[in-house]
Amino acid sequence: RQARELQRLRELIRRQRAVQIRQLLRSKEAELRQAQGMLQQQRGNAVREARELQRQLAKELSALKDLERRCGVLQGNGLLGKASCPQVRGEVDGLKQKAAKLALISKQLEERARQLREAIAHLGTPGCRQP
């Protein structure tokens, strides 16, 4: 009689543990889905920001090339006097600095997007589902 009671208690404990494990697994899977969603949203935002910065960079580079071309034409024609040349050079230098900053930000965003893709891929691996 005691052996049957002991066996029944063991079976009850085993079932309770199985229920707890299933609940924990469901909870962790929900956390994983939430984390994946957040990472995908962050990745999307980073990619959109990187694209916008690349667009701005292309615009700034185009303006820089146009200004350098116009400066060269004016210098070639002798129309660009010494008084205005420092101002134009200052604008050219300013545009170059902006282009360099935008290129750096673009690289940083591309790296962040790559890291987010890796994190999302890592979360999708079966080994990460273990508590």
Side-chain angles (χ1 to χ4, degrees), residues 7 35-36 57 68 77 83 89 102 104 109 118 127 130:
Q7 186 177 2
Q36 286 175 326
L57 175 61
E68 287 175 336
N77 292 337
R89 284 194 183 114
L102 287 172
L104 177 64
L109 287 172
E118 287 176 2
Q130 297 175 355

Side-chain angles (χ1 to χ4, degrees), residues 2 8 17 34 45 60 71 115 124 127-128 130-131:
Q2 284 181 340
R8 188 184 70 76
R17 283 185 183 163
Q34 184 180 14
N45 291 341
E60 293 287 341
C71 186
Q115 290 172 353
C128 290
Q130 297 175 355

Side-chain angles (χ1 to χ4, degrees), residues 80-108:
L80 191 60
K82 291 184 178 182
S84 64
C85 203
Q87 180 185 0
V88 172
R89 284 194 183 114
E91 289 180 32
V92 169
D93 289 342
L95 286 173
K96 283 182 181 179
Q97 288 176 354
K98 284 182 183 180
K101 285 179 186 176
L102 287 172
L104 177 64
I105 291 170
S106 178
K107 278 189 173 190
Q108 290 171 344

